């Protein structure tokens, strides 16, 4: 997720990366947030906006027929209000585009979304996305109930409290998974390497989003672990780099595994510490509907002329802003990527106000790395492939970190 001060998220996603934190949404700060652009107001009812190639009378005829002729089959059935009918029509139109990140938010859901991106929520603490129509875990947040319950990046969510998730959107899944602290949600999980699905019970809690940890290892490698691209992550990252420089080491290990994204501006700012002014960090491609928007390095470039060796750890839980930063440093030959292919969340959403408290989140662009590759096309490929297994993780063996250490010590 990536988010700017104007609500430009990269999840995210994304600028939202539209991966949604099930706690609400850390969204990018989340992915739901991670890639959402600033909200705009749109009047869809002006005649000048009516499509010339569509007979809108069909819609009004259907509306009138339902209003005049519909008879409920159960006595307890209540008629939707005129406003609820309108929301239903807009929701159906939105769903027809088949994009899991283009979502209609009726007033109540829009309010929840805004509360989510404020950072205060209760839930299980994981970000979700979709792959091939299946709900999957992008990454559980560090020290969250989801992580403690054993949820892994890449897990498929097959059902939520017994409700099948086939065809379910990320936003609908969030409504079922989030909840009050102390309550329990049961997920049916499909995991690569597991012959049959299994259930995981997670007790919801208040979610706090960790940001960064850094320290000098005994082998002389300085390690920075970044868990999210939050509003203050760039400042924390600057402080960690200052300590790295003071340490005298020239070997830096940057762990972005399980980092689902956050503020786009944070990713661009962090890249600027390693790139000359003007170098491309990431571009927004609008498919010709408007000029591309190129985000460039501010040119801090504090390691220019220095013998820096940098390894970035990535996995399928590295998404959105993580992919933007990793892709920029890899393709500008600043760092080697170590681990497995990243998630591949590279679309940009714009949040539009429809009036009456309702909002529409629309995919308007895709993220392109400096060499012009779309992040959504399968994510980033590591320079040094290092795969792990649940058995190795359970045994406390980190083969990806071991591979990064081996490469760094060989430099």
């Amino acid at each position: 997720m990536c988010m700017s001060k104007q609500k430009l998220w990269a999840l995210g996603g994304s600028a939202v990366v539209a991966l949604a934190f099930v706690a609400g949404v850390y969204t990018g700060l989340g992915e739901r947030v991670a890639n959402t652009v600033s909200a705009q107001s749109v009047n869809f009812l002006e005649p000048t906006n009516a499509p010339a190639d569509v007979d809108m009378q069909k819609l009004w005829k259907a509306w009138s027929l339902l209003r005049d002729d519909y008879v409920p089959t159960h006595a307890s059935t209540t008629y939707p209000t005129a406003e609820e009918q309108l929301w239903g029509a807009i929701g159906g139109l939105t769903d027809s585009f088949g994009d899991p990140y283009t979502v209609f938010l009726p007033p109540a859901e829009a309010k929840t979304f805004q509360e989510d991106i404020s950072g205060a929520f209760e839930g299980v603490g994981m970000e979700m996305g979709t792959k091939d129509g299946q709900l999957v875990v992008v990454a559980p947040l560090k020290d969250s109930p989801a992580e403690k319950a054993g949820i892994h990046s890449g897990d498929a969510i097959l059902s939520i409290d017994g409700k099948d998730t086939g065809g379910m959107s990320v936003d609908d899944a969030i409504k079922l998974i989030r909840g009050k602290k102390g309550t329990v949600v049961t997920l049916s999980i499909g995991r690569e390497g597991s012959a049959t699905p299994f259930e995981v019970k997670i007790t919801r809690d208040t979610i706090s989003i960790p940001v960064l940890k850094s320290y000098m290892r005994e082998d002389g490698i300085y390690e920075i672990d970044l868990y999210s691209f939050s509003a203050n992550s760039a400042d924390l990252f600057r402080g960690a780099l200052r300590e790295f420089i003071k340490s005298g080491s020239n070997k830096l290990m940057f762990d972005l595994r399980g980092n689902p994204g956050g503020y786009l501006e944070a990713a661009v700012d962090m890249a600027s510490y390693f790139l000359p002014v003007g170098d491309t960090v990431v571009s927004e491609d609008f498919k010709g509907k408007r000029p591309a928007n190129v985000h460039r390095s501010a040119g801090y470039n504090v390691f220019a002329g220095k013998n820096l060796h940098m390894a970035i750890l990535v996995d399928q839980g590295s998404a959105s802003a993580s992919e933007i930063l990793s892709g920029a440093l890899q393709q500008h030959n600043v760092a080697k990527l170590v681990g497995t292919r990243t998630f591949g969340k590279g679309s940009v959403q714009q949040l539009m106000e429809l009036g009456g408290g309702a909002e529409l989140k629309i995919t308007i662009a895709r993220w392109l790395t400096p060499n012009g590759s779309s992040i959504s096309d399968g994510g980033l490929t590591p320079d040094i492939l290092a795969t792990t297994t649940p058995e190795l993780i359970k045994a406390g063996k980190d083969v990806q970190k071991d591979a990064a250490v081996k490469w760094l010590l060989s430099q």
Side-chain angles (χ1 to χ4, degrees), residues 245 302-308:
I245 293 171
V302 296
F303 298 100
K306 297 181 180 179
N307 189 27
L308 173 69

Side-chain angles (χ1 to χ4, degrees), residues 40 104 148 192 206 248-249 264 267:
Q40 296 184 7
F104 170 62
K148 293 173 182 177
E192 186 176 354
T206 301
S249 173
L264 169 65

